[in-house]
Amino acid sequence: MAEEKKRTRRANGESAIYLGKDERWHARVPMGYKDDGSPYRRHLTRPTRKELVDEVRRLEKQRDEGSARQPGKPWTVGKWLEHWVENIAKPAVSENTYDGYEVAVRVHLVPGIGRHRIDRLEPEHLESLYRRMQSAGSKAGTAHQAHRTARTALGEAVRRGHAAKNAAALAKPPRMEEDENEVEPYSVDEVQSLLLEVNKRRNSARWMLALALGLRQGETLGLRWSDVDLANEYLKLRRNRLRPKYEHGCGEAAPCGRKAGYCPARVQVRRETKNTKSRAGRRAVPLPGPLVVMLRSHREAQAQERATARNLWTESEYVFTKPLGGPLSPNTDYHDWKRLLEDAGVRDGRLHDARHTAGTVLMLLGVQDRVIDQIMGWEPGGAVRMRARYLHVTDPMLKEAARKIERAIWGAPENLAVDKNQDNEA
């Protein structure tokens, strides 16, 4: 039977298929509405009716699933990433998260894959970018950060119909070497060496909160005296100190020629603290007796500094301040940590390694997992994963396990000695 040439009347929303004067089969597929409210239809053409019907069904499926490309000029990857990071991500995420996204977009993703059309981006384009990044000297962790940013941004593009697939979700990021992120917690001897040096320094309690309780840098620097209950020996964590961010205040007419952070008239454009967003992050943490003593002494020393500085003192409620008051800068705090390690003769490490140390010590002491999660501020759903990341099996723990195996299989050590004596006498 010859293929029908006449158009047939169809219901609203149904695709129209017809044979054109060019002897090719055509279809008009309703895809929704444009921004101005007018109907949007996609025009398809194929040499045979069967090919066209197959393509129409595929497009209708994309439309019904919400994964079809929307009307208008397709986004380039670069334009979408710039739009996404400023208008979609920035209002929804923390300042620190935004900073990570912005750097990945500006430094790596836009120069590397920005010219591609977003609906034509392939996983291989991203994998090639990761290889180029590493060839240029970037670490695998940097490529992973770019990969995570691209996956999040392109996932939003798919959700909004600008692309049919998330190329980053299909791409394989570079392999992370096992020793690249390996953390070796400080030993008890190293912690004691740090303690001896800490007692000689200003803000000594700040470092013991990290080493003994695993408080994050932002949590410690965001502490206020109203969060500390020395009478009942606990503190409440409810906010994080943010890294300052500055803009020039000198004006274009007389620029200072320096970076914004060093401008004499610099203006801070980021709030000092933000409230902890997760329920696990807002928590009460018990204070060991020696830390209570250190915090009492610290409060008295701070009162003396305030009295000495008089009108030069910048009043704030922070537990840890600069010598003339006001909140500590995270950057200053980081360099203080590095000097502490050097002065104590302890191997170099990240400030965050102190958190690994605290978690491992809690495990070594046999503290229950639920209590460790409370102290460390881990969400119940991800606590198992975080314990695997932060709690390290140390040599003393392995030796203790060996001793337990010895007692279970061969008996008590004294029984082994008796058996050896009997063998010698025989």
Side-chain angles (χ1 to χ4, degrees):
M1 183 177 180
E3 293 181 309
E4 183 181 350
K5 292 189 177 184
K6 291 180 62 180
R7 300 191 193 196
T8 57
R9 193 172 190 84
R10 299 180 181 273
N12 288 337
E14 190 175 354
S15 300
I17 299 176
Y18 59 93
L19 184 65
K21 293 180 180 179
D22 58 358
E23 298 299 321
R24 289 177 62 87
W25 284 90
H26 296 256
R28 303 280 178 176
V29 184
M31 299 299 293
Y33 297 89
K34 300 178 183 178
D35 292 341
D36 61 3
S38 60
Y40 167 54
R41 297 180 180 87
R42 289 274 296 276
H43 173 237
L44 302 175
T45 179
R46 295 291 184 275
T48 68
R49 191 176 193 280
K50 181 182 183 307
E51 290 178 280
L52 184 64
V53 168
D54 291 341
E55 186 64 19
V56 166
R57 288 174 179 169
R58 185 188 67 80
L59 191 59
E60 288 175 338
K61 182 180 179 182
Q62 288 184 357
R63 176 197 65 194
D64 296 341
E65 292 175 347
S67 61
R69 179 170 61 83
Q70 294 302 301
K73 186 177 180 179
W75 291 85
T76 64
V77 173
K79 291 295 183 184
W80 170 253
L81 289 172
E82 290 167 349
H83 169 76
W84 169 81
V85 76
E86 290 299 325
N87 301 299
I88 300 174
K90 189 174 184 178
V93 301
S94 71
E95 287 90 335
N96 290 345
T97 301
Y98 164 77
D99 284 347
Y101 285 160
E102 191 276 334
V103 169
V105 167
R106 173 173 50 84
V107 177
H108 301 295
L109 295 173
V110 170
I113 56 172
R115 294 184 179 181
H116 291 284
R117 266 180 45 170
I118 197 169
D119 56 337
R120 294 179 181 174
L121 185 68
E122 297 295 336
E124 292 77 13
H125 296 142
L126 286 154
E127 291 162 351
S128 175
L129 169 63
Y130 304 150
R131 289 193 296 272
R132 295 197 306 272
M133 287 175 63
Q134 290 186 283
S135 297
S138 294
K139 292 183 178 179
T142 305
H144 267 261
Q145 170 66 11
H147 173 72
R148 290 191 296 270
T149 301
R151 185 176 58 197
T152 304
L154 294 175
E156 186 65 27
V158 171
R159 196 177 71 82
R160 297 183 181 215
H162 301 310
K165 66 182 179 185
N166 185 342
L170 300 173
K172 298 292 185 184
R175 180 175 178 269
M176 296 281 284
E177 295 297 333
E178 291 184 1
D179 59 350
E180 184 168 334
N181 288 325
E182 186 176 352
V183 176
E184 182 181 351
Y186 290 110
S187 67
V188 174
D189 289 341
E190 288 173 317
V191 172
Q192 289 174 345
S193 297
L194 288 169
L195 178 58
L196 290 174
E197 185 60 35
V198 155
N199 288 329
K200 306 174 187 176
R201 311 172 90 86
R202 186 177 175 276
N203 285 337
S204 58
R206 181 264 173 275
W207 306 114
M208 294 316 299
L209 285 174
L211 289 163
L213 298 176
L215 268 60
R216 302 173 178 93
Q217 183 191 45
E219 293 171 338
T220 306
L221 300 188
L223 269 179
R224 295 176 182 170
W225 283 112
S226 57
D227 303 323
V228 182
D229 188 340
L230 295 179
N232 293 301
E233 301 185 346
Y234 74 92
L235 53 83
K236 288 184 177 179
L237 299 172
R238 51 185 113 197
R239 69 184 63 82
N240 285 299
R241 173 85 166 95
L242 297 174
R243 292 192 302 269
K245 187 175 184 179
Y246 301 100
E247 289 182 354
H248 282 282
C250 53
E252 295 182 2
C256 65
R258 305 177 183 178
K259 291 184 178 180
Y262 297 95
C263 174
R266 68 185 184 184
V267 178
Q268 184 164 328
V269 294
R270 177 177 289 169
R271 53 185 172 160
E272 284 185 355
T273 62
K274 65 166 183 145
N275 292 334
T276 303
K277 62 182 180 181
S278 69
R279 182 176 298 177
R282 295 187 298 273
R283 64 196 189 277
V285 176
L287 290 171
L291 254 177
V292 173
V293 173
M294 292 182 77
L295 285 168
R296 289 187 192 278
S297 176
H298 172 71
R299 186 166 59 181
E300 293 172 2
Q302 190 180 84
Q304 183 59 47
E305 288 179 339
R306 183 186 292 106
T308 302
R310 304 181 70 175
N311 61 334
L312 296 178
W313 182 263
T314 301
E315 194 58 59
S316 71
E317 287 295 317
Y318 290 105
V319 173
F320 302 108
T321 67
K322 294 180 285 189
L324 292 178
L328 276 176
S329 164
N331 187 51
T332 300
D333 183 67
Y334 167 80
H335 290 294
D336 286 346
W337 166 255
K338 291 295 186 180
R339 281 192 292 270
L340 172 62
L341 294 176
E342 184 178 354
D343 293 345
V346 173
R347 60 187 164 86
D348 188 31
R350 305 174 308 165
L351 176 54
H352 202 67
D353 292 352
R355 183 165 166 81
H356 287 258
T357 300
T360 301
V361 169
L362 290 171
M363 178 177 64
L364 190 60
L365 295 175
V367 177
Q368 293 180 0
D369 286 349
R370 185 174 179 181
V371 178
I372 293 177
D373 298 344
Q374 165 84 9
I375 293 174
M376 300 292 285
W378 293 330
E379 292 279 6
V384 174
R385 178 175 55 86
M386 297 306 289
R387 284 198 294 271
R389 178 180 175 184
Y390 278 85
L391 308 187
H392 304 268
V393 178
T394 62
D395 286 344
M397 295 167 67
L398 293 172
K399 290 178 181 177
E400 177 59 24
R403 284 193 291 268
K404 288 181 178 179
I405 295 171
E406 177 184 338
R407 287 194 294 268
I409 298 179
W410 289 278
E414 56 269 20
N415 293 339
L416 290 175
V418 170
D419 291 342
K420 288 180 180 178
N421 290 334
Q422 290 176 349
D423 291 340
N424 291 335
E425 292 175 359

